[in-house]
Structures are given as C-alpha cells and as structure tokens.
Amino acid sequence: MSDRGLLLIGYGFLGRCFVQQYAHEFAHVYLTSRSAQKLLAVSGKGMTGLRLDINAAESWSSLSALMDRPLAVCCFLTPGQLDVEQFAGFVAYLNNHTICRAVLSSSTVVYGAQTGEVNSDSALSLDSGRAERQHRLEQHWCAGLQNAAIIRLAGLYGPGRIIGQRSLADQRLLPGRADDWLNLIHVRDAAALIKAMLDSDTPGPELGCDDSPVERGQYYTELAAWLGLPGPVFAGDAAARYRRCSNALTRARLDWQPVYPSYREFLTGLQAES
C-alpha cells in the first residue's frame, strides 16, 4: 500500500468501479459528492465521504483537512455539471494541497467529427460548443495543477450500463446515421487505464478506448439481436461522423491493454451468466 491518499471527485459509474478495484492501494480514500444522501452510502475501512460542490466555493473548505496529506486526485465529474470559471477557481484552490498526481477524466469529443483514425497525439477539432467547453476544462486542469494529466475516454459501458439498450427497448428512432462510428471502452478497462496514469509520470493526454471501433448500424443490430428486440432505425438527421479512435499510442506508453477488446466479449460474458 502507498502512503498517498486518494481524493476522488465524482463518485458515479466510473468512480465506483475505480474504488472497488483500487481503494486497497491507497492509505485512505476520500469520496466527494454534492449529495449528503449519497455520502451516507460511503462505507468501508479507510474511506471518508466529503460534501463538495465545485460550483459552490463555500463548500471547498471541506477539503481543508487534507491540506498536508499527499494525495492522488481523480476527477470524474460529468462536464455538464461544471461551471467552467468556478472549475478554474477550484483547481487553483486544489493546488494549495500536496498533490502527487492529478488525473482528469475527459472526453474524445475534443477530436470533433474528423474523418479517419485519431489517437492521443492527434490534433483537436473543436467543432462544437461541447468540444470547446471540454477543452477549456482540460486547460484549466493542466495549467492549475502540478503533475496533472488528461485521459480522454470513449463511451463507457459495463454492468448496469449498456449503451443503447433503453432506446432499443423503447423502439425509439435513433439519432444520427447507421454508418457513423461508435467508440467504446468497458468501465473496468477505463479504471485500469486511469490507475496506470496515476502511477506514471507521462503528461498525456492519453486516449482510452477499446480495440474495435464499430459502425453504429452494426453495433445496434447486434445488440438488438442479443436482446431479442426489433432492429434499429436511424433518423439520418446529422452529418456523418467517421472518427475512429485508436488506443495504440496509449497502450505503448502506459503498458496497458483492455481486458475487453470489444463490446462483444462483454455481451458474451453476460449471456454465459444468464
């Protein structure tokens, strides 16, 4: 066990998975939430729940007790929950603490609707308000903290979250086109990648995805068959997105590889369990 503690900001789908796998490797784990009710569920030896709302500066003082403790920091908050300017102020406040490594979970949206393969070293394409906003959060994180790093994750799936399941079950018209590309990563692989980043000194950014980008039409057709539901119908109401994410550079730099090379291994495992 390391003598560093872990401050985890954003105790959601990815945060819970990360804690389940790696909490034992830290001297103490501090989990934050805006919701006092969610903090009631925080239990276990070496774990403490802290009330924190990054958009409300008066709540930041909940971290004051951690000021002199060496911390690894992971921020898994959904970008839409964050006020960009308040986030910049929070990062500056966080930098008063003893931070040995700080990893921000970001998104591949910053690569935009590029055609062809993109990797962790590819140029950005900030072709939407969402992409621009995400990039500003990244910039504040890296400029405000020492030992900061960024991991841009593809679409997360795993136990309890299968992308598109509800839409197919409700027989909704799916937005976009069947020949758009879908880039995915299993939540356990994303957690392992973030742990590898915490243990490294590479500045990043890195790109987290599985080995197998898939056309949306193929994915939704296979998922519908697996669920025993009617096949997908696409609205075709958006410009084509031919971006395919590659994890090759990140795999080499962090000595990481996904346990789930594609979503098919996950679905096969679920079928075997049922």
Side-chain angles (χ1 to χ4, degrees):
M1 179 189 292
S2 164
D3 62 351
R4 63 179 174 170
L6 171 68
L7 173 61
L8 195 153
I9 303 168
Y11 190 46
F13 184 55
L14 177 56
R16 287 191 297 272
C17 181
F18 188 89
V19 167
Q20 288 167 3
Q21 293 187 76
Y22 301 112
H24 66 281
E25 298 193 22
F26 298 90
H28 202 93
V29 176
Y30 303 92
L31 306 172
T32 72
S33 175
R34 293 181 299 179
S35 167
Q37 185 174 2
K38 285 185 179 180
L39 293 177
L40 293 175
V42 174
S43 62
K45 184 179 178 180
M47 292 192 187
T48 301
L50 299 171
R51 185 87 175 270
L52 175 69
D53 181 355
I54 289 179
N55 294 334
E58 62 273 13
S59 77
W60 302 350
S61 60
S62 64
L63 305 183
S64 59
L66 314 182
M67 190 69 73
D68 298 322
R69 303 181 187 185
L71 292 172
V73 180
C74 291
C75 184
F76 297 151
L77 287 178
T78 302
Q81 298 174 341
L82 297 171
D83 177 278
V84 175
E85 299 310 317
Q86 284 287 84
F87 183 73
F90 174 75
V91 169
Y93 174 82
L94 194 59
N95 198 41
N96 294 319
H97 296 66
T98 306
I99 307 297
C100 49
R101 187 63 157 157
V103 175
L104 175 69
S105 170
S106 186
S107 167
T108 59
V109 70
V110 296
Y111 296 111
Q114 300 185 50
T115 297
E117 183 178 282
V118 299
N119 58 51
S120 48
D121 289 353
S122 294
L124 304 186
S125 178
L126 306 179
D127 55 7
S128 68
R130 182 167 165 246
E132 291 177 356
R133 190 173 187 280
Q134 185 68 53
H135 185 49
R136 289 177 64 198
L137 295 172
E138 291 185 354
Q139 289 178 309
H140 288 313
W141 187 259
C142 290
L145 292 171
Q146 295 182 347
N147 302 316
I150 303 291
I151 293 184
R152 295 165 179 154
L153 297 177
L156 285 169
Y157 70 93
R161 180 189 288 187
I162 301 175
I163 292 175
Q165 181 176 14
R166 181 171 295 180
S167 294
L168 287 172
D170 294 342
Q171 297 186 36
R172 300 177 194 165
L173 187 66
L174 298 171
R177 301 159 50 116
D179 59 351
D180 290 345
W181 286 88
L182 188 61
N183 299 281
L184 301 169
I185 185 169
H186 191 283
V187 65
R188 289 194 63 186
D189 288 326
L193 177 56
I194 288 164
K195 181 59 166 58
M197 195 71 163
L198 280 177
D199 294 341
S200 78
D201 57 4
T202 178
E206 299 299 344
L207 194 160
C209 62
D210 64 22
D211 298 338
S212 307
V214 60
E215 287 192 351
R216 294 176 75 238
Q218 180 178 347
Y219 169 82
Y220 279 97
T221 297
E222 290 182 17
L223 181 60
W226 182 79
L227 294 169
L229 295 170
V233 179
F234 293 89
D237 57 353
R241 296 174 56 188
Y242 294 129
R243 181 185 75 225
R244 302 187 305 279
C245 293
S246 168
N247 62 25
L249 292 179
T250 291
R251 288 179 64 156
R253 289 196 285 240
L254 293 177
D255 191 26
W256 164 88
Q257 63 181 19
V259 173
Y260 295 88
S262 78
Y263 63 90
R264 295 184 182 93
E265 288 78 14
F266 172 65
L267 293 182
T268 299
L270 287 181
Q271 192 169 31
E273 294 172 5
S274 61

